[in-house]
Every structure is written in C-alpha cells, then in structure tokens.
Amino acid sequence: MRWADLDQLGHVNNVVYVDYLQEARVDMLRALGRGPEALAEGLVVARHEVTYLKPLTYDFRPVSIECWVIDVKAATFTMAYEIFHDSAEGDRVVYLRATTLLTPFVFAEERPRRITAEERAVLELHLEPDGQPRRRTPALPEQVTSRYPIHVRFSDVDVYGHVNNVKYFEYLQESRVTMISQLVPLRTFSVVVAQTDVDYVQPLLFRAEPYDCRSSIVRVGNRSMTIESEICDGNRVLARARVVVVFYDLQGGRSTEPPPEVREALLAAAVGTA
C-alpha cells in the first residue's frame, strides 16, 4: 500500500484496488512460464466483477492478494482474487473479492485469438472452478440522469495504445462524483462503493475529443443506490458498468440511511426501476 492510495475517507480508493489486481494478475501469469508469459503481455480485459467487503486503511504491513483461475474456455479465461490480511492468530480479514474475464489478443491485428493447447495446460494447473454464473451489465435505460465528458489523458493509455482497464474505474468515479454533487450540492453524507461490474465492449483510444459517459440512477434503497453507466462514442457503446454505492457513517464505520432530503433528491433523479 502507498500513502497516495488513500481517498478523502482515509480508505484505499476503490479504483486503486483494481490496480492491485492488475499487478497481481500480471505477476502470476509471468511466473507460470513461457506460454502464459505471452498471455501476461497479450491480454485484454473483457469484464471485471469487483465486490468491496471491508474498507482497507493504511498499514505498514503489505496487503496480500491470492489469485487463481476459475474457468478456461476456447478464447477466454477467468481469474478470481481475494485481497486480505492474515493475523498472527491465523484469522483472515478479507477486503475484496473479484473476478476478471480475459481474452488473448493480437494487438498488431486488433483481434482476439484462441488459447493455445500449451497455455490451456498451464492455466488448468491452477484451475479451481467456482460454479458461479457470470453476470452481464444491462443496456442503459433510454432516459439518463446525467452525462459527463471523459477526456483521455496521455498517461491513461497502456503500451498497447488502449486506455488501461483500471482507468475506466477512475472515469466512472469522476462521473459519479460529479453527478451526485450536482443533484445534492450541499454534501451532508458519505458513500462507499460496494460493487462494481464493468463490461469492456470496445477499446477507448487517446484522442482530443472527449467520450460521453451516460449514467442513470436505477435504484435508490434505504442504505444504498445503484448507478448504471455507458461510455460511448456517439451511438457506439464502448463500455457498460453497474455500480452499487452504500451510504456510510464515517464515525460509526457502518452503513446508514441517507438524510430524507438527500434520498428524495436522488429518487427524483432516478429512472428505470428506482
């Protein structure tokens, strides 16, 4: 953990966790040998499902990450992760669980490819199927709550010329914070992210023109709300996301109900199934 990983709540920011997962994934794949080394350096992320279980605060102890393979198909495989601390007594505190759907990619030709027999054999050595169905993020309702321009920075682009998968979480955060601040200008509450699912449909590229992030509040519950978003280039959808945020009591360190006026403002702006 780095001091700069913390947000204004004193927690490791939700975006930073995904960076941790990326570092762990690449390290694991490079360690597996010659075949999967090509995977480590020639993959694109097709989907993330990230569940935030407990806030992680700054600690001089390193946080541990376990990662393994839960599914291997013809042209994709899925990895799972757990971020945790183990105590001296053997108790485990889990902060996050996540899965990532990955596909091998030929960047020179901008196309996916099939997993080779050699790669499959090595991946299956680390296979622990979980039997859980993978979700898909639905299309955004026609009516949207807000629109936010995404300006791609040069530093957002990875060595393949695509916007790195972690940056999408940052874009979604910027869009979400802006939307909430516009709906409730006098900020009298805090939220933490409980779940983020992202489907990567087509790559974002570096360019001068901004992309369009369209977001809708689709549910406002007693202690949480759900926001669905699409990152678009005109009418072309490049990514879809579903984020669940929980209203949070900083002093008590637990979920709470938002003030009535806040809930009313969010409900008034909600669309779909709210």
Side-chain angles (χ1 to χ4, degrees):
M1 284 182 287
R2 296 169 289 266
W3 183 256
D5 296 348
L6 305 184
D7 59 22
Q8 64 177 353
L9 303 181
H11 303 162
V12 170
N13 185 267
N14 71 94
V15 177
V16 176
Y17 283 92
V18 191
D19 203 8
Y20 293 168
L21 300 182
Q22 179 171 248
E23 293 176 4
R25 176 175 68 250
V26 171
D27 185 67
M28 173 184 169
L29 292 172
R30 283 180 171 168
L32 291 183
R34 179 175 174 274
E37 183 174 357
L39 284 178
E41 298 176 359
L43 287 173
V44 294
V45 173
R47 178 170 172 83
H48 280 309
E49 294 180 14
V50 183
T51 304
Y52 302 88
L53 301 172
K54 185 179 177 65
L56 176 60
T57 56
Y58 185 74
D59 197 317
F60 288 104
R61 296 177 299 160
V63 68
S64 298
I65 304 176
E66 288 184 351
C67 47
W68 62 98
V69 179
I70 59 174
D71 188 35
V72 184
K73 297 190 182 300
T76 64
F77 66 100
T78 304
M79 291 186 62
Y81 320 80
E82 192 168 271
I83 297 181
F84 62 93
H85 273 133
D86 279 337
S87 70
E89 294 76 26
D91 298 322
R92 174 167 293 192
V93 179
V94 179
Y95 303 99
L96 175 145
R97 292 191 177 98
T99 63
T100 303
L101 177 65
L102 299 137
T103 183
F105 203 78
V106 182
F107 287 93
E109 302 174 14
E110 286 292 319
R111 64 170 179 84
R113 67 168 176 84
R114 297 174 70 87
I115 294 173
T116 68
E118 180 185 12
E119 290 165 345
R120 175 179 293 275
V122 178
L123 290 171
E124 287 181 346
L125 292 175
H126 303 271
L127 182 62
E128 299 179 25
D130 65 353
Q132 298 297 317
R134 306 272 76 85
R135 297 186 294 270
R136 298 295 294 177
T137 304
L140 198 66
E142 188 172 330
Q143 181 184 357
V144 298
T145 304
S146 73
R147 299 179 69 162
Y148 179 79
I150 293 175
H151 295 272
V152 175
R153 298 169 288 264
F154 184 77
S155 59
D156 295 347
V157 179
D158 60 24
V159 296
Y160 308 122
H162 298 168
V163 171
N164 185 270
N165 69 93
V166 178
K167 290 297 178 179
Y168 289 68
F169 281 70
E170 191 173 320
Y171 298 156
L172 293 168
Q173 177 174 253
E174 292 173 359
S175 173
R176 180 172 64 250
V177 169
T178 300
M179 177 182 69
I180 293 174
S181 66
Q182 291 172 344
L183 295 175
V184 191
L186 184 60
R187 191 68 178 268
T188 59
F189 63 100
S190 297
V191 297
V192 295
V193 178
Q195 178 76 34
T196 301
D197 298 341
V198 181
D199 283 305
Y200 301 85
V201 181
Q202 295 185 36
L204 270 67
L205 306 175
F206 179 69
R207 69 181 196 185
E209 300 80 15
Y211 294 96
D212 185 19
C213 184
R214 305 167 184 168
S215 298
S216 295
I217 298 174
V218 299
R219 179 184 175 275
V220 180
N222 291 330
R223 293 173 180 257
S224 67
M225 69 175 172
T226 302
I227 302 165
E228 292 178 357
S229 301
E230 289 180 346
I231 299 176
C232 302
D233 182 11
N235 294 324
R236 189 162 55 101
V237 176
L238 306 178
R240 289 191 174 98
R242 183 177 184 272
V243 180
V244 179
V245 297
V246 174
F247 302 100
Y248 195 73
D249 177 358
L250 289 175
Q251 293 184 334
R254 60 181 181 272
S255 65
T256 187
E257 295 184 5
E261 66 275 12
V262 171
R263 190 168 191 275
E264 289 174 8
L266 296 173
L267 277 171
V271 301
T273 60

